[in-house]
Protein backbone atom coordinates (compact mmCIF):
# COMPACT_ATOMS: atom_id res chain seq x y z
CA UNK A 1 0.00 0.00 0.00
CA UNK A 2 1.12 3.54 -0.76
CA UNK A 3 0.32 6.59 1.35
CA UNK A 4 -1.38 9.44 -0.51
CA UNK A 5 -2.36 12.77 1.03
CA UNK A 6 -5.24 14.83 -0.33
CA UNK A 7 -5.44 18.46 0.79
CA UNK A 8 -8.88 19.97 0.21
CA UNK A 9 -9.61 23.57 -0.81
CA UNK A 10 -10.12 24.50 2.84
CA UNK A 11 -6.63 23.22 3.71
CA UNK A 12 -7.64 19.98 5.48
CA UNK A 13 -5.25 17.12 4.75
CA UNK A 14 -6.38 13.47 4.61
CA UNK A 15 -3.84 10.70 4.28
CA UNK A 16 -5.12 7.36 3.01
CA UNK A 17 -3.61 4.17 1.62
CA UNK A 18 -3.77 3.40 -2.07
CA UNK A 19 -3.32 0.03 -3.70
CA UNK A 20 -0.53 -0.28 -6.23
CA UNK A 21 -2.11 -0.50 -9.69
CA UNK A 22 -5.22 1.44 -8.79
CA UNK A 23 -5.53 5.17 -9.51
CA UNK A 24 -5.32 8.28 -7.37
CA UNK A 25 -9.01 8.89 -8.21
CA UNK A 26 -10.11 5.37 -7.18
CA UNK A 27 -8.17 5.70 -3.93
CA UNK A 28 -9.98 8.97 -3.18
CA UNK A 29 -13.45 7.56 -3.94
CA UNK A 30 -12.80 4.38 -1.91
CA UNK A 31 -11.83 6.50 1.08
CA UNK A 32 -14.60 9.10 0.70
CA UNK A 33 -12.14 11.90 0.07
CA UNK A 34 -14.23 15.01 -0.70
CA UNK A 35 -13.97 17.31 -3.73
CA UNK A 36 -13.38 14.48 -6.21
CA UNK A 37 -16.52 13.56 -8.14
CA UNK A 38 -15.32 11.25 -10.92
CA UNK A 39 -18.61 11.52 -12.77
CA UNK A 40 -17.55 9.22 -15.61
CA UNK A 41 -16.08 6.58 -13.31
CA UNK A 42 -12.51 6.82 -14.55
CA UNK A 43 -12.94 6.68 -18.30
CA UNK A 44 -11.02 9.94 -18.86
CA UNK A 45 -14.31 11.23 -20.26
CA UNK A 46 -15.04 14.11 -17.93
CA UNK A 47 -12.88 16.38 -15.81
CA UNK A 48 -14.43 15.98 -12.39
CA UNK A 49 -11.45 14.29 -10.70
CA UNK A 50 -9.18 17.29 -11.30
CA UNK A 51 -6.32 17.65 -8.80
CA UNK A 52 -3.21 19.81 -8.42
CA UNK A 53 -0.06 17.76 -7.95
CA UNK A 54 1.98 19.24 -5.10
CA UNK A 55 5.31 20.90 -5.83
CA UNK A 56 8.09 18.35 -6.20
CA UNK A 57 5.86 15.44 -7.32
CA UNK A 58 5.31 16.40 -10.95
CA UNK A 59 8.29 14.41 -12.18
CA UNK A 60 7.05 11.21 -10.56
CA UNK A 61 3.41 11.55 -11.63
CA UNK A 62 4.48 12.41 -15.18
CA UNK A 63 2.84 14.60 -17.80
CA UNK A 64 -0.80 14.35 -18.90
CA UNK A 65 -1.38 12.48 -22.17
CA UNK A 66 -2.88 14.43 -25.10
CA UNK A 67 -6.30 12.86 -24.33
CA UNK A 68 -6.04 13.98 -20.71
CA UNK A 69 -5.02 17.50 -21.82
CA UNK A 70 -8.15 17.60 -23.97
CA UNK A 71 -10.27 16.67 -20.99
CA UNK A 72 -8.53 19.22 -18.77
CA UNK A 73 -9.97 21.89 -21.08
CA UNK A 74 -13.28 21.18 -19.35
CA UNK A 75 -11.82 21.71 -15.89
CA UNK A 76 -11.74 25.02 -14.14
CA UNK A 77 -8.71 26.97 -12.94
CA UNK A 78 -6.32 24.69 -14.74
CA UNK A 79 -2.71 25.22 -13.63
CA UNK A 80 0.59 23.80 -14.88
CA UNK A 81 0.36 21.14 -12.13
CA UNK A 82 -3.22 20.13 -13.01
CA UNK A 83 -3.94 16.45 -13.57
CA UNK A 84 -6.97 14.18 -13.76
CA UNK A 85 -6.53 11.85 -10.83
CA UNK A 86 -8.04 8.89 -12.74
CA UNK A 87 -4.99 9.02 -15.00
CA UNK A 88 -2.39 8.84 -12.22
CA UNK A 89 -1.58 5.19 -11.48
CA UNK A 90 -0.54 4.40 -7.93
CA UNK A 91 2.96 2.90 -7.80
CA UNK A 92 5.63 2.39 -5.11
CA UNK A 93 7.34 5.51 -6.49
CA UNK A 94 4.40 7.62 -5.35
CA UNK A 95 4.75 6.77 -1.61
CA UNK A 96 3.94 10.03 0.20
CA UNK A 97 2.33 11.73 -2.82
CA UNK A 98 0.47 14.96 -2.03
CA UNK A 99 -2.30 16.35 -4.23
CA UNK A 100 -4.66 19.28 -3.68
CA UNK A 101 -8.30 19.25 -4.72
CA UNK A 102 -10.01 22.28 -6.28
CA UNK A 103 -12.98 24.05 -4.73
CA UNK A 104 -15.24 22.99 -7.58
CA UNK A 105 -15.22 20.17 -10.09
CA UNK A 106 -18.30 21.00 -12.16
CA UNK B 1 -51.06 25.12 -29.28
CA UNK B 2 -48.97 22.23 -30.48
CA UNK B 3 -50.66 18.89 -31.10
CA UNK B 4 -50.63 16.48 -28.17
CA UNK B 5 -48.83 13.19 -28.76
CA UNK B 6 -50.74 10.28 -27.23
CA UNK B 7 -48.85 7.17 -26.19
CA UNK B 8 -49.12 4.32 -23.70
CA UNK B 9 -45.81 5.07 -22.02
CA UNK B 10 -43.50 8.06 -22.00
CA UNK B 11 -39.89 7.21 -21.14
CA UNK B 12 -37.66 10.01 -19.90
CA UNK B 13 -34.10 9.20 -20.91
CA UNK B 14 -32.82 7.25 -23.92
CA UNK B 15 -29.88 5.58 -22.20
CA UNK B 16 -29.46 1.79 -22.10
CA UNK B 17 -32.21 1.28 -19.51
CA UNK B 18 -34.70 3.54 -21.29
CA UNK B 19 -33.98 1.59 -24.47
CA UNK B 20 -34.42 -1.82 -22.86
CA UNK B 21 -37.64 -0.60 -21.24
CA UNK B 22 -39.00 -0.21 -24.78
CA UNK B 23 -38.32 -3.92 -25.30
CA UNK B 24 -40.00 -5.14 -22.12
CA UNK B 25 -42.98 -2.82 -22.65
CA UNK B 26 -43.19 -3.79 -26.31
CA UNK B 27 -43.45 -7.51 -25.53
CA UNK B 28 -46.53 -6.61 -23.52
CA UNK B 29 -48.02 -4.53 -26.37
CA UNK B 30 -47.28 -1.12 -24.87
CA UNK B 31 -46.04 1.62 -27.20
CA UNK B 32 -43.43 4.06 -26.00
CA UNK B 33 -42.05 7.47 -26.84
CA UNK B 34 -38.66 8.53 -25.45
CA UNK B 35 -37.47 12.05 -24.62
CA UNK B 36 -33.78 12.81 -24.07
CA UNK B 37 -31.94 16.07 -23.56
CA UNK B 38 -28.95 14.86 -25.59
CA UNK B 39 -29.08 15.14 -29.36
CA UNK B 40 -28.18 11.45 -29.65
CA UNK B 41 -29.47 8.11 -28.39
CA UNK B 42 -27.59 6.19 -25.68
CA UNK B 43 -27.23 8.44 -22.64
CA UNK B 44 -23.92 8.16 -20.78
CA UNK B 45 -22.87 5.19 -22.93
CA UNK B 46 -22.94 7.43 -26.00
CA UNK B 47 -21.97 10.74 -24.44
CA UNK B 48 -19.32 9.82 -21.88
CA UNK B 49 -17.77 6.54 -22.98
CA UNK B 50 -18.77 5.46 -26.51
CA UNK B 51 -15.42 3.75 -27.09
CA UNK B 52 -14.82 2.43 -23.59
CA UNK B 53 -15.27 -1.27 -22.89
CA UNK B 54 -18.06 -2.68 -20.71
CA UNK B 55 -17.32 -6.15 -19.32
CA UNK B 56 -20.33 -6.89 -17.13
CA UNK B 57 -23.32 -7.28 -19.43
CA UNK B 58 -24.52 -10.86 -18.87
CA UNK B 59 -23.66 -13.09 -21.79
CA UNK B 60 -21.62 -10.41 -23.53
CA UNK B 61 -17.97 -10.64 -22.42
CA UNK B 62 -17.02 -7.36 -24.06
CA UNK B 63 -18.88 -4.49 -25.68
CA UNK B 64 -18.19 -0.76 -26.07
CA UNK B 65 -20.64 1.88 -24.85
CA UNK B 66 -21.68 2.69 -28.41
CA UNK B 67 -21.76 -1.01 -29.31
CA UNK B 68 -24.25 -1.68 -26.52
CA UNK B 69 -26.45 1.20 -27.65
CA UNK B 70 -26.47 -0.11 -31.22
CA UNK B 71 -27.27 -3.64 -30.06
CA UNK B 72 -30.17 -2.36 -27.95
CA UNK B 73 -31.49 -0.32 -30.87
CA UNK B 74 -31.46 -3.45 -33.03
CA UNK B 75 -33.23 -5.38 -30.26
CA UNK B 76 -36.07 -2.83 -29.90
CA UNK B 77 -36.50 -2.12 -33.61
CA UNK B 78 -39.62 -4.35 -33.90
CA UNK B 79 -41.41 -2.06 -31.44
CA UNK B 80 -40.80 1.15 -33.40
CA UNK B 81 -40.09 3.52 -30.53
CA UNK B 82 -40.32 7.25 -31.27
CA UNK B 83 -37.43 9.45 -30.12
CA UNK B 84 -37.61 13.11 -29.19
CA UNK B 85 -33.99 14.19 -28.87
CA UNK B 86 -32.52 17.48 -27.67
CA UNK B 87 -35.57 17.99 -25.47
CA UNK B 88 -36.02 18.06 -21.73
CA UNK B 89 -39.20 17.13 -19.89
CA UNK B 90 -40.12 20.12 -17.79
CA UNK B 91 -43.48 19.21 -16.29
CA UNK B 92 -45.52 16.14 -15.45
CA UNK B 93 -49.14 16.72 -14.41
CA UNK B 94 -51.58 14.04 -13.37
CA UNK B 95 -54.78 14.48 -15.40
CA UNK B 96 -56.40 11.06 -14.82
CA UNK B 97 -56.14 7.79 -12.93
CA UNK B 98 -53.62 7.26 -14.23
CA UNK B 99 -53.06 9.64 -17.09
CA UNK B 100 -50.30 12.19 -17.29
CA UNK B 101 -49.72 15.30 -19.32
CA UNK B 102 -46.03 15.84 -19.99
CA UNK B 103 -44.53 19.09 -21.29
CA UNK B 104 -41.03 19.53 -22.75
CA UNK B 105 -38.87 22.66 -22.90
CA UNK B 106 -39.56 22.78 -26.64
CA UNK B 107 -43.26 23.14 -25.95
CA UNK B 108 -44.17 19.58 -26.96
CA UNK B 109 -47.08 17.89 -25.17
CA UNK B 110 -47.59 14.21 -24.46
CA UNK B 111 -50.42 12.30 -22.87
CA UNK B 112 -49.41 8.95 -21.41
CA UNK B 113 -50.90 6.44 -18.99
CA UNK B 114 -47.51 5.61 -17.59
CA UNK B 115 -44.32 7.64 -17.15
CA UNK B 116 -40.98 5.86 -16.79
CA UNK B 117 -38.10 7.94 -15.48
CA UNK B 118 -34.89 6.38 -16.80
CA UNK B 119 -32.87 9.56 -16.47
CA UNK B 120 -29.63 8.07 -15.14
CA UNK B 121 -27.53 10.72 -13.42
CA UNK B 122 -30.04 13.37 -14.43
CA UNK B 123 -29.87 15.57 -17.48
CA UNK B 124 -26.69 16.57 -19.24
CA UNK B 125 -26.38 20.30 -18.91
CA UNK B 126 -23.65 22.78 -19.82
CA UNK B 127 -20.92 23.12 -17.24
CA UNK B 128 -20.86 26.53 -15.67
CA UNK B 129 -17.47 28.08 -15.03
CA UNK B 130 -16.89 28.90 -11.33
CA UNK B 131 -16.42 32.62 -11.93
CA UNK B 132 -17.52 34.50 -8.82
CA UNK B 133 -20.67 36.53 -9.40
CA UNK B 134 -21.52 34.98 -12.79
CA UNK B 135 -25.17 34.23 -11.89
CA UNK B 136 -26.76 37.65 -12.62
CA UNK B 137 -25.27 37.58 -16.13
CA UNK B 138 -26.55 34.10 -17.02
CA UNK B 139 -29.28 34.23 -19.64
CA UNK B 140 -28.75 37.98 -20.13
CA UNK B 141 -25.18 38.36 -21.33
CA UNK B 142 -23.61 34.98 -20.53
CA UNK B 143 -25.01 32.05 -22.54
CA UNK B 144 -24.16 28.35 -22.52
CA UNK B 145 -25.76 27.65 -25.88
CA UNK B 146 -26.70 29.51 -29.03
CA UNK B 147 -30.39 29.10 -29.74
CA UNK B 148 -30.77 31.98 -32.21
CA UNK B 149 -27.73 33.36 -34.03
CA UNK B 150 -29.48 36.65 -34.75
CA UNK B 151 -29.40 37.48 -31.02
CA UNK B 152 -25.64 37.86 -31.36
CA UNK B 153 -25.53 40.19 -34.38
CA UNK B 154 -23.47 43.34 -33.83
CA UNK B 155 -22.30 42.17 -30.40
CA UNK B 156 -18.87 42.27 -28.86
CA UNK B 157 -18.49 38.54 -28.14
CA UNK B 158 -16.09 36.52 -25.99
CA UNK B 159 -16.14 32.76 -26.64
CA UNK B 160 -14.33 30.53 -24.12
CA UNK B 161 -13.19 26.97 -24.79
CA UNK B 162 -11.21 24.80 -27.19
CA UNK B 163 -13.59 22.12 -28.37
CA UNK B 164 -15.93 21.84 -31.33
CA UNK B 165 -18.65 24.02 -29.77
CA UNK B 166 -16.25 26.88 -29.05
CA UNK B 167 -14.51 26.75 -32.41
CA UNK B 168 -17.65 26.13 -34.49
CA UNK B 169 -19.51 29.03 -32.88
CA UNK B 170 -16.43 31.20 -33.38
CA UNK B 171 -16.61 30.45 -37.12
CA UNK B 172 -20.38 30.91 -37.29
CA UNK B 173 -20.65 34.08 -35.26
CA UNK B 174 -17.51 35.85 -36.58
CA UNK B 175 -19.29 37.26 -39.68
CA UNK B 176 -22.16 38.81 -37.69
CA UNK B 177 -20.32 39.88 -34.52
CA UNK B 178 -19.06 43.42 -34.03
CA UNK B 179 -15.91 41.89 -32.63
CA UNK B 180 -15.15 38.36 -31.52
CA UNK B 181 -12.45 37.01 -29.24
CA UNK B 182 -11.79 33.31 -28.70
CA UNK B 183 -10.19 32.53 -25.35
CA UNK B 184 -8.64 29.14 -24.61
CA UNK B 185 -6.29 28.00 -21.87
CA UNK B 186 -3.63 26.59 -24.20
CA UNK B 187 -2.44 26.69 -27.77
CA UNK B 188 -3.92 23.29 -28.70
CA UNK B 189 -7.54 22.74 -29.71
CA UNK B 190 -9.61 19.56 -29.45
CA UNK B 191 -11.94 20.74 -32.19
CA UNK B 192 -11.89 19.21 -35.69
CA UNK B 193 -8.55 20.17 -37.37
CA UNK B 194 -10.33 21.69 -40.36
CA UNK B 195 -12.32 24.04 -38.13
CA UNK B 196 -9.19 24.92 -36.15
CA UNK B 197 -7.39 25.82 -39.41
CA UNK B 198 -10.30 28.03 -40.47
CA UNK B 199 -10.24 29.71 -37.07
CA UNK B 200 -6.50 30.38 -37.33
CA UNK B 201 -7.02 31.83 -40.82
CA UNK B 202 -9.58 34.30 -39.42
CA UNK B 203 -7.05 35.30 -36.74
CA UNK B 204 -4.38 35.89 -39.39
CA UNK B 205 -6.76 37.99 -41.48
CA UNK B 206 -7.36 40.10 -38.39
CA UNK B 207 -11.08 39.21 -38.35
CA UNK B 208 -11.09 37.70 -34.87
CA UNK B 209 -8.76 37.72 -31.87
CA UNK B 210 -7.32 34.66 -30.20
CA UNK B 211 -6.25 34.92 -26.58
CA UNK B 212 -4.65 32.24 -24.38
CA UNK B 213 -5.74 32.29 -20.75
CA UNK B 214 -8.67 31.82 -18.37
CA UNK B 215 -11.44 34.15 -17.18
CA UNK B 216 -11.11 35.03 -13.49
CA UNK B 217 -13.76 37.76 -13.01
CA UNK B 218 -16.53 39.59 -14.83
CA UNK B 219 -17.28 43.28 -14.97
CA UNK B 220 -20.63 44.92 -15.55
CA UNK B 221 -23.84 45.70 -13.74
CA UNK B 222 -27.46 44.60 -13.65
CA UNK B 223 -26.71 41.51 -15.71
CA UNK B 224 -25.13 43.56 -18.52
CA UNK B 225 -21.56 42.51 -19.13
CA UNK B 226 -18.92 45.13 -19.93
CA UNK B 227 -15.72 43.17 -19.64
CA UNK B 228 -13.89 40.07 -18.47
CA UNK B 229 -10.73 39.88 -16.43
CA UNK B 230 -8.43 37.33 -18.01
CA UNK B 231 -5.39 35.65 -16.56
CA UNK B 232 -3.03 34.90 -19.41
CA UNK B 233 -1.02 31.69 -19.65
CA UNK B 234 2.14 33.63 -18.69
CA UNK B 235 0.51 34.77 -15.44
CA UNK B 236 -0.20 38.37 -16.48
CA UNK B 237 -3.73 39.76 -16.35
CA UNK B 238 -5.69 41.70 -18.92
CA UNK B 239 -9.21 43.15 -19.06
CA UNK B 240 -11.10 42.47 -22.25
CA UNK B 241 -14.13 44.59 -23.11
CA UNK B 242 -17.08 42.44 -24.19
CA UNK B 243 -20.87 42.47 -23.87
CA UNK B 244 -21.59 38.78 -24.43
CA UNK B 245 -19.74 35.72 -23.19
CA UNK B 246 -20.25 32.15 -24.40
CA UNK B 247 -18.42 29.59 -22.22
CA UNK B 248 -18.19 26.07 -23.69
CA UNK B 249 -16.87 23.71 -21.01
CA UNK B 250 -18.69 20.56 -21.97
CA UNK B 251 -21.52 18.85 -20.16
CA UNK B 252 -22.17 17.69 -16.64
CA UNK B 253 -25.06 15.73 -15.16
CA UNK B 254 -27.58 17.61 -13.04
CA UNK B 255 -30.81 16.24 -11.64
CA UNK B 256 -32.67 19.11 -13.32
CA UNK B 257 -36.46 19.42 -13.28
CA UNK B 258 -37.01 15.90 -11.80
CA UNK B 259 -36.94 17.62 -8.40
CA UNK B 260 -40.02 19.65 -9.34
CA UNK B 261 -42.28 16.78 -10.37
CA UNK B 262 -43.64 16.20 -6.91
CA UNK B 263 -42.07 12.77 -6.56
CA UNK B 264 -40.50 11.82 -3.27
CA UNK B 265 -36.70 12.04 -3.41
CA UNK B 266 -33.96 10.56 -1.27
CA UNK B 267 -31.25 13.02 -0.26
CA UNK B 268 -32.54 15.31 -2.98
CA UNK B 269 -31.18 13.29 -5.84
CA UNK B 270 -32.47 9.72 -6.10
CA UNK B 271 -36.02 8.43 -6.51
CA UNK B 272 -37.09 5.76 -4.00
CA UNK B 273 -39.01 2.87 -5.57
CA UNK B 274 -40.51 -0.37 -4.37
CA UNK B 275 -38.62 -3.40 -5.62
CA UNK B 276 -41.68 -5.34 -6.76
CA UNK B 277 -42.54 -2.92 -9.55
CA UNK B 278 -40.04 -0.02 -9.47
CA UNK B 279 -42.92 2.38 -9.05
CA UNK B 280 -42.36 5.70 -7.26
CA UNK B 281 -44.64 7.06 -4.53
CA UNK B 282 -46.78 8.44 -7.39
CA UNK B 283 -48.88 5.61 -8.88
CA UNK B 284 -48.19 5.32 -12.60
CA UNK B 285 -44.76 6.97 -12.42
CA UNK B 286 -41.87 4.49 -12.41
CA UNK B 287 -38.13 5.02 -12.00
CA UNK B 288 -35.53 2.59 -13.37
CA UNK B 289 -31.74 2.59 -13.67
CA UNK B 290 -29.21 4.85 -11.97
CA UNK B 291 -31.79 7.43 -10.91
CA UNK B 292 -33.71 5.18 -8.53
CA UNK B 293 -32.92 3.97 -5.05
CA UNK B 294 -33.95 0.96 -2.97
CA UNK B 295 -32.20 -1.01 -0.24
CA UNK B 296 -29.24 -2.76 -1.84
CA UNK B 297 -29.29 -0.66 -5.00
CA UNK B 298 -26.17 -0.74 -7.12
CA UNK B 299 -25.72 1.34 -10.25
CA UNK B 300 -25.17 -1.31 -12.88
CA UNK B 301 -26.69 -1.50 -16.35
CA UNK B 302 -27.66 -5.13 -15.71
CA UNK B 303 -29.65 -4.14 -12.62
CA UNK B 304 -31.49 -1.53 -14.67
CA UNK B 305 -32.47 -4.22 -17.20
CA UNK B 306 -34.06 -6.30 -14.46
CA UNK B 307 -35.87 -3.25 -13.11
CA UNK B 308 -37.29 -2.50 -16.56
CA UNK B 309 -38.70 -6.03 -16.86
CA UNK B 310 -40.57 -5.81 -13.55
CA UNK B 311 -41.72 -2.27 -14.26
CA UNK B 312 -43.40 -3.45 -17.48
CA UNK B 313 -45.43 -6.07 -15.58
CA UNK B 314 -47.01 -3.42 -13.36
CA UNK B 315 -47.29 -0.79 -16.13
CA UNK B 316 -49.41 -3.29 -18.09
CA UNK B 317 -52.19 -3.02 -15.52
CA UNK B 318 -52.37 0.75 -15.93
CA UNK B 319 -52.32 0.65 -19.71
CA UNK B 320 -54.74 -2.32 -20.04
CA UNK B 321 -56.76 -2.29 -16.80
CA UNK B 322 -59.25 -4.87 -18.08
CA UNK B 323 -56.79 -7.38 -19.49
CA UNK B 324 -55.22 -10.29 -17.70
CA UNK B 325 -51.47 -10.62 -18.11
CA UNK B 326 -50.13 -14.08 -18.88
CA UNK B 327 -46.41 -14.47 -18.44
CA UNK B 328 -44.63 -15.85 -21.50
CA UNK B 329 -41.11 -16.63 -22.71
CA UNK B 330 -39.68 -15.31 -25.98
CA UNK B 331 -38.10 -18.74 -26.48
CA UNK B 332 -41.43 -20.55 -26.82
CA UNK B 333 -44.29 -18.07 -27.19
CA UNK B 334 -45.54 -17.73 -30.77
CA UNK B 335 -47.32 -14.53 -29.87
CA UNK B 336 -44.15 -12.90 -28.49
CA UNK B 337 -42.19 -14.15 -31.49
CA UNK B 338 -44.74 -12.55 -33.82
CA UNK B 339 -44.24 -9.22 -32.06
CA UNK B 340 -40.49 -9.61 -32.51
CA UNK B 341 -41.01 -10.38 -36.18
CA UNK B 342 -39.30 -13.77 -35.95
CA UNK B 343 -42.27 -16.06 -36.27
Amino acid sequence: MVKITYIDSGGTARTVEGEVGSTVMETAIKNSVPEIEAECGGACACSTCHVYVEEGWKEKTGEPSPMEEDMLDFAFEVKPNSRLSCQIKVSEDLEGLVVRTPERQA
Amino acid sequence: MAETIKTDVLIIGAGPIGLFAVFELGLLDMKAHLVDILDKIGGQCAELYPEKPIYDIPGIPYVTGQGLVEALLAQIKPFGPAFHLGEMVERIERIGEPMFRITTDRGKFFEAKVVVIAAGGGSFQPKKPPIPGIEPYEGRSVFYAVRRMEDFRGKDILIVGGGDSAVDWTLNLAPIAKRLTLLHRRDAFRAAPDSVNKMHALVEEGKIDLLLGQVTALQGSGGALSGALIKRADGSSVTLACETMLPFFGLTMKLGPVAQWGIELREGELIPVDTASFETNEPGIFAVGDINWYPGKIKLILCGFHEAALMAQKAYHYVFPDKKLVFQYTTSSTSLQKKLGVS
Side-chain angles (χ1 to χ4, degrees):
Chain A
M1 295 298 252
V2 172
K3 279 197 171 52
I4 302 172
T5 301
Y6 301 80
I7 305 175
D8 69 22
S9 58
T12 305
R14 291 172 183 82
T15 302
V16 300
E17 294 205 322
E19 209 174 304
V20 171
S22 73
T23 68
V24 172
M25 179 279 282
E26 287 170 319
T27 306
I29 297 295
K30 241 185 215 169
N31 292 283
S32 309
V33 172
E35 295 183 344
I36 290 187
E37 290 180 14
E39 203 170 73
C40 79
C44 197
C46 70
S47 58
T48 59
C49 66
H50 178 202
V51 296
Y52 303 114
V53 173
E54 191 76 342
E55 191 84 21
W57 283 99
K58 241 184 113 175
E59 228 167 77
K60 284 193 173 154
T61 53
E63 293 293 323
S65 70
M67 182 170 80
E68 186 182 340
E69 278 284 3
D70 282 356
M71 276 303 139
L72 275 169
D73 285 349
F74 294 125
F76 299 120
E77 289 178 62
V78 177
K79 298 176 189 169
N81 59 340
S82 285
R83 288 294 307 270
L84 295 180
S85 55
C86 72
Q87 300 301 304
I88 308 175
K89 279 248 185 265
V90 176
S91 66
E92 302 286 359
D93 280 357
L94 294 186
E95 172 65 37
L97 172 70
V98 181
V99 297
R100 288 178 184 268
T101 50
E103 203 179 320
R104 261 187 61 184
Q105 291 285 3
Chain B
M1 192 189 274
E3 192 192 341
T4 299
I5 300 167
K6 295 192 176 181
T7 177
D8 294 328
V9 181
L10 185 92
I11 301 172
I12 301 168
I17 310 308
L19 295 177
F20 192 66
V22 171
F23 183 83
E24 290 295 332
L25 291 163
L27 285 181
L28 305 182
D29 300 319
M30 291 174 273
K31 289 269 174 227
H33 281 243
L34 299 96
V35 178
D36 199 293
I37 193 165
L38 291 177
D39 58 7
K40 52 177 167 280
I41 295 168
Q44 290 182 48
C45 288
E47 176 64 30
L48 283 182
Y49 50 89
E51 281 151 34
K52 303 282 171 183
I54 308 173
Y55 298 107
D56 60 355
I57 306 296
I60 304 173
Y62 167 91
V63 67
T64 62
Q66 190 58 39
L68 178 65
V69 171
E70 277 159 24
L72 284 163
L73 276 172
Q75 194 168 22
I76 65 176
K77 199 166 176 251
F79 304 113
F83 291 95
H84 307 266
L85 301 174
E87 279 187 68
M88 182 168 72
V89 168
E90 272 189 342
R91 262 204 329 273
I92 301 175
E93 299 155 85
R94 184 182 291 276
I95 54 168
E97 286 308 325
M99 182 65 86
F100 299 94
R101 182 176 167 80
I102 300 102
T103 315
T104 73
D105 62 342
R106 291 276 174 98
K108 211 175 262 176
F109 297 104
F110 295 89
E111 271 181 27
K113 288 178 189 148
V114 165
V115 175
V116 176
I117 304 171
S123 44
F124 279 100
Q125 290 178 10
K127 247 176 145 173
K128 299 177 176 187
I131 303 166
I134 194 172
E135 294 80 12
Y137 299 101
E138 291 175 338
R140 303 174 90 165
S141 50
V142 172
F143 303 95
Y144 299 106
V146 176
R147 285 250 161 160
R148 254 170 43 100
M149 266 177 68
E150 270 310 300
D151 296 344
F152 297 90
R153 182 176 290 278
K155 291 275 167 70
D156 206 336
I157 304 171
L158 171 63
I159 294 182
V160 191
D164 283 311
S165 301
V167 174
D168 288 349
W169 283 118
T170 296
L171 299 178
N172 290 331
L173 293 175
I176 64 167
K178 185 169 123 207
R179 203 172 64 114
L180 192 149
T181 305
L182 175 62
L183 174 72
H184 184 41
R185 74 173 181 98
R186 60 187 175 124
D187 196 17
F189 290 81
R190 296 183 313 283
D194 181 52
S195 310
V196 175
N197 291 340
K198 283 184 184 149
M199 181 272 295
H200 279 303
L202 287 178
V203 175
E204 267 166 41
E205 291 165 32
K207 290 187 172 150
I208 62 165
D209 295 311
L210 173 63
L211 205 58
L212 299 185
Q214 297 173 71
V215 177
T216 53
L218 299 177
Q219 295 169 345
S221 64
L225 194 64
S226 62
L229 192 66
I230 292 158
K231 196 175 164 193
R232 284 212 187 93
D234 64 9
S236 65
S237 285
V238 61
T239 304
L240 182 84
C242 60
E243 50 186 336
T244 298
M245 181 170 86
L246 293 163
F248 293 109
F249 283 96
L251 302 173
T252 185
M253 283 177 286
K254 296 268 178 260
L255 188 61
V258 175
Q260 282 121 54
W261 296 338
I263 303 163
E264 186 195 321
L265 293 179
R266 179 188 165 85
E267 285 161 11
E269 52 187 42
L270 297 169
I271 305 174
V273 288
D274 84 80
T275 50
S277 62
F278 299 93
E279 196 167 22
T280 69
N281 68 314
E282 285 289 331
I285 302 183
F286 296 79
V288 290
D290 284 0
I291 201 151
N292 75 10
W293 182 87
Y294 49 86
K297 167 74 182 182
I298 45 176
K299 292 184 179 181
L300 283 181
I301 291 173
L302 76 95
C303 297
F305 288 165
H306 155 83
E307 295 163 19
L310 268 62
M311 170 279 294
Q313 298 285 314
K314 177 87 184 264
Y316 185 86
H317 295 287
Y318 290 122
V319 175
F320 306 111
D322 304 324
K323 284 195 198 165
K324 192 169 173 279
L325 179 58
V326 181
F327 180 74
Q328 298 177 89
Y329 290 103
T330 54
T331 322
S332 50
S333 157
T334 333
S335 107
L336 291 186
Q337 287 168 1
K338 264 192 192 136
K339 293 174 199 175
L340 290 169
V342 292
S343 177

